[in-house]
Amino acid sequence: MITFLQQSASMPTPARVVLFSGLLVLVLAVTNASTADLITPDLQRAEVLAGLAAVGLMLVAVLWTRANPRSADQVDLQGEQGLVMDEQTSAELREELGWGSHMLLTATPAATVLVYWRGHVILRRGLIRAVAFEPADICNRVMERETTISLVNTELFPGRTEFDSVLQNLPAVVICPLGKNGVVVVGGWSKRCFSQSDERWLEGWTERLKTSLEKNRPD
């Protein structure tokens, strides 16, 4: 009973209402059957329907909870809010980098953004660290295969220390390729915080950014 109450306490309020409505229907059906003087076919049919209704309501409550899971808590990330951009970046490219990184930080759960291109970090924005970044196994795989990799929970990946130079203890990271010459690394505030829509938006922007980089910064 205690376990049941603990589980119900974690449900969304509408799901709890549905759950206790189902329990109430079940209790009333059992009480009605136990206090009846005569068991008739009509009463039996009514009890069966009431039981099915009660079970159905409780099932709806469970499915409701699974369809609306609690979001993971934000991690208290340590870093300084800032914007660092390579001085050799052209005005046109600075505008593209500024616009794209601003959108990522305001329209998605991103806490930090890093852009690495042909051996240089050309942008850090959001929470940042003054530590040199060097791509390792995961980033190299992204560039080699030109495929986005999403680490929804970095605790499950031994190579997560690769991103400590971006920001320590990032709970979620998305790495998107800039062709074979660079990557955009986006770190999130909590586990599983990036949706498929966020990833598609990031991939669309990196395609546009790659074109700007090849045009304005071929080195």
Side-chain angles (χ1 to χ4, degrees):
M1 185 64 178
I2 294 176
T3 302
F4 171 77
L5 291 175
Q6 290 175 338
Q7 291 176 345
S8 64
S10 65
M11 290 180 172
T13 299
R16 287 202 299 272
V17 172
V18 174
L19 175 63
F20 286 111
S21 296
L23 289 172
L24 179 60
V25 171
L26 185 60
V27 170
L28 291 175
V30 172
T31 302
N32 183 54
S34 62
T35 57
D37 295 329
L38 180 64
I39 304 298
T40 64
D42 290 341
L43 177 61
Q44 290 178 329
R45 286 194 293 269
E47 290 300 309
V48 169
L49 290 175
L52 291 174
V55 172
L57 287 171
M58 289 186 284
L59 180 60
V60 167
V62 172
L63 294 176
W64 197 329
T65 302
R66 292 185 177 180
N68 296 276
R70 292 181 299 169
S71 58
D73 295 332
Q74 287 191 1
V75 175
D76 184 17
L77 298 173
Q78 302 299 313
E80 297 291 333
Q81 283 285 350
L83 169 61
V84 178
M85 200 175 295
D86 194 312
E87 296 179 354
Q88 299 181 9
T89 305
S90 66
E92 180 181 350
L93 186 53
R94 289 172 71 89
E95 182 178 351
E96 181 65 42
L97 288 167
W99 172 84
S101 59
H102 173 75
M103 292 300 296
L104 285 170
L105 291 168
T106 56
T108 75
T112 184
V113 179
L114 179 145
V115 178
Y116 176 87
W117 176 254
R118 291 183 175 171
H120 303 281
V121 174
I122 62 173
L123 173 77
R124 289 178 185 257
R125 191 168 187 177
L127 288 177
I128 60 177
R129 295 187 70 202
V131 178
F133 171 78
E134 288 293 336
D137 293 343
I138 297 174
C139 287
N140 289 332
R141 192 181 314 136
V142 168
M143 289 186 283
E144 180 183 351
R145 300 179 181 178
E146 298 188 48
T147 302
T148 299
I149 290 180
S150 178
L151 310 183
V152 297
N153 181 0
T154 55
E155 292 180 356
L156 305 177
F157 295 88
R160 63 185 180 276
T161 55
E162 176 178 346
F163 304 102
D164 282 349
S165 56
V166 179
L167 207 63
Q168 284 187 312
N169 302 319
L170 282 169
V173 181
V174 179
I175 311 96
C176 200
L178 291 165
K180 295 183 180 297
N181 298 304
V183 290
V184 175
V185 179
V186 180
W189 286 102
S190 59
K191 301 173 184 177
R192 298 176 294 277
C193 61
F194 293 109
S195 65
Q196 290 185 346
S197 296
D198 295 330
E199 293 179 21
R200 285 195 295 268
W201 195 94
L202 174 59
E203 289 172 345
W205 180 60
T206 52
E207 283 295 323
R208 170 172 165 163
L209 178 59
K210 183 179 71 170
T211 300
S212 296
L213 284 165
E214 291 172 341
K215 175 182 176 182
N216 294 282
R217 186 159 176 161
D219 59 313

